[in-house]
Amino acid sequence: MLALSSLQWKEFGSFTGNAEELPADLRSWQAAIGTSDEEGEWGWLRDQFLCQHTIQDSAIAIVPHICGLLSTTAPALQHYYAIDLGQVHMAWRRSPIVSISPELVATYEAAIVSIRPWSCACLARSLAPIDFRYLLSACAALCEHPGLGRFLFSLDSSTDEFPDSVGYI
């Protein structure tokens, strides 16, 4: 895993802010876990590496750190974390970033494997139908079915193609 103190963070891309701020933003999210600021801190952290089904290279470096903290997060928010990480993984499988070192890729892949049981356990929670579908999408992606994950995530935009699905979405 890339050390949070590494100077390599400044070499990564970010959608908002600077990627070299990711370690500090991760620590801010970690400090907010269990507080009313948890969701807001997560949103700021996530928006730096994930935007509209696209990721920055910084996602591959920060996700292992995030995965290590998931068990400490507020249960009411865990399915959102799983959904976001599923989106990261779908983007990674669709368009791998070739500039990422093999060591960081291996750490990222191991982190994704490690959270599969955790993310699938979120399916047992009582969720709104749309949240359940997005979580199911994430679980499919995290369990190496990114095509199914993308399909489930975008079902509501496929009603012209699959008109019989309208009542189920």
Side-chain angles (χ1 to χ4, degrees):
M1 195 165 10
L2 183 63
L4 294 177
S5 60
S6 172
L7 297 177
Q8 191 176 353
W9 288 101
K10 66 182 177 182
E11 298 171 16
F12 294 120
S14 179
F15 289 114
T16 59
N18 296 312
E20 66 187 306
E21 298 168 356
L22 276 169
D25 294 333
L26 176 79
R27 288 184 192 103
S28 294
W29 171 62
Q30 182 180 15
I33 290 173
T35 73
S36 60
D37 294 333
E38 180 177 353
E39 191 171 6
E41 290 293 335
W42 170 253
W44 172 250
L45 176 64
R46 177 207 55 222
D47 290 351
Q48 292 179 41
F49 59 84
L50 174 66
C51 182
Q52 298 181 359
H53 313 290
T54 305
I55 58 170
Q56 291 283 336
D57 53 359
S58 57
I60 305 309
I62 199 70
V63 162
H65 293 280
I66 292 167
C67 291
L69 296 171
L70 291 173
S71 64
T72 68
T73 59
L77 298 174
Q78 288 179 345
H79 67 284
Y80 292 118
Y81 300 134
I83 292 166
D84 290 339
L85 293 171
Q87 288 295 301
V88 168
H89 200 58
M90 282 184 257
W92 172 247
R93 287 294 183 248
R94 186 176 53 248
S95 300
I97 303 167
V98 296
S99 62
I100 302 293
S101 74
E103 295 81 18
L104 285 181
V105 170
T107 301
Y108 167 83
E109 295 291 346
I112 293 300
V113 169
S114 76
I115 65 164
R116 287 176 182 166
W118 173 87
S119 63
C120 292
C122 292
L123 290 168
R125 297 196 173 114
S126 179
L127 299 171
I130 190 75
D131 290 335
F132 183 80
R133 178 167 56 96
Y134 288 156
L135 178 59
L136 193 57
S137 162
C139 290
L142 294 169
C143 291
E144 296 308 326
H145 301 285
L148 177 60
R150 280 191 299 279
F151 174 76
L152 290 170
F153 193 87
S154 61
L155 263 178
D156 47 355
S157 63
S158 305
T159 54
D160 291 340
E161 196 173 339
F162 303 102
D164 292 343
S165 66
V166 172
Y168 297 102
I169 299 173

